[in-house]
Amino acid sequence: MPSPDSSAGKAAGTVPAAAGGAVRRSVTGTRGLAAAGFLLPALVLLGALVVYPIGYSLYRSFLDRSGDAFAGLGNYVEIFTDDTILTAVRNNAIWVVVAPTAATALGLMFAVLTERVRWGTAFKLVVFMPMAISMLAAGIIFRLVYEQDPERGVANAVWVGVHDTFTESATFPKARPRPGHELKPAAGGAFVTERPVRAGSPVELPLVGVPADGMPSGARPAKQAPAPDDGRITGTAWLDFTRGGGGTVNAVDAGEPGLKGIVIEAVDDGRVVATTTAAADGTFSLPKEADGSFLRLPASNFRAPYNGVDWLGPSLVTPAIIGSYLWMWAGFAMVLIAAGLAAVPRELLEAARVDGANEWQVFRRVTVPLLAPVLAVVLVTLMINVLKIFDLVFIIAPGSAQDDANVLALQLYRSSFGTDAHLGVGSAIAVLLLLLVIPVMAFNIRRIRRETRR
């Protein structure tokens, strides 16, 4: 019969040893030496791929460009004195503050609202789908989305459509008078006649520079305006260009179209006394009050068409790239938050409603506090992610705006592998990125331990 001591020894995970003492086993019965043997390949890989690169980067960050001489803290000083690298530091700060917060807020909003609609699952699927796309592909997609030309860029196509709905665009943006004609440039891009117009003498306003496909729909061949005897001012505004050549300069020829809709103003002493628009055949008529005044074609006729927003210009390139990041990662935040929301006790929500709380109060005082651990996980994960953002910035930002969109990971690449490579500065940037990640990782580990102790 086994003794109580031997039974206790077995329960404690020890076995008798041949030479006395006891050999400790793990709870799975694995000897420590065997466990170390299994862990050795992983430890070797960890040392070769993580520990050694970190150590060498730290060492290299104290050397000069060639790597032969000690540079001290010179490379770190350059990080905070070079304008290009300072822009990268500032942009990284914007990314860390804005992108994780906005993505988490969007994920929370989507997770809460999709619980209230029947097609919530389909919506979640659509929002999460961008996560299946690589950063490279997403960068190419949004480089096209942000194209300046509204005919290619979706963002500007929508923006220009909305703008043109409320603001009338110019009909003849590139039109100009024939050289030698009495129409002369005026302030603000308008054109005005050199001499006052008189009743009974039809005015001719020939223009060129309007492409054939840019003519207004419904424009008809121009014709000479009649000379009325009631004091009115009449005239013709037309495109003085005959297809195939020929025709007489500054004269209405057969087949030359009228400038339908062009605005003509009669100006006397700087004051507009009458306004009219040309008919489909280019003819127009002004009341007798216009007699003796100058005719002006206002700049609104020739204003360049609205071409949208310069999304990838120096001032908007970083917010534009953050927008593409949100498109990708809001679905990730939504899925994690939705999983946490599914675990929230419904009795607490119903109890708050019974106590008289409205939906906003339930959301702010009950739902969000209960989701705080999940929100912290999402926020920290996205903060770590944006600290090393590289792909989207490198692909979306054009060469002319890349310095304005610069971030530390991109600057690390440019300093280490660019045409003017400085491995010392590149290594210093790598060490700086590591130092920025460590506090976030420490916070995450402390939070996980605190959750485990509960």
Side-chain angles (χ1 to χ4, degrees), residues 346-402:
R346 303 297 161 178
E347 306 83 42
L348 296 178
L349 304 180
E350 293 301 327
R353 294 187 182 102
V354 169
D355 288 342
N358 57 38
E359 290 301 321
W360 170 245
Q361 291 172 326
V362 171
F363 171 76
R364 185 165 59 91
R365 297 180 179 274
V366 180
T367 305
V368 172
L370 290 175
L371 288 175
V374 179
L375 296 177
V377 170
V378 174
L379 194 62
V380 170
T381 302
L382 293 179
M383 287 177 67
I384 296 172
N385 185 266
V386 300
L387 277 172
K388 53 189 180 65
I389 193 72
F390 168 80
D391 318 60
L392 290 177
V393 180
F394 182 71
I395 296 167
I396 295 177
S400 59
Q402 204 165 81

Side-chain angles (χ1 to χ4, degrees), residues 30-56:
T30 306
R31 297 177 185 274
L33 187 59
F38 280 105
L39 288 175
L40 184 61
L43 292 175
V44 170
L45 286 174
L46 185 67
L49 300 178
V50 178
V51 178
Y52 172 74
I54 291 175
Y56 182 76

Side-chain angles (χ1 to χ4, degrees), residues 5-27:
D5 290 341
S6 65
S7 301
K10 291 179 181 180
T14 60
V15 295
V23 178
R24 297 289 299 177
R25 293 176 182 265
S26 69
V27 293

Side-chain angles (χ1 to χ4, degrees), residues 72-92:
L73 296 176
N75 295 325
Y76 292 94
V77 171
E78 184 171 344
I79 291 177
F80 297 101
T81 54
D82 184 89
D83 290 339
T84 302
I85 304 178
L86 279 176
T87 300
V89 173
R90 185 184 70 247
N91 286 341
N92 252 99

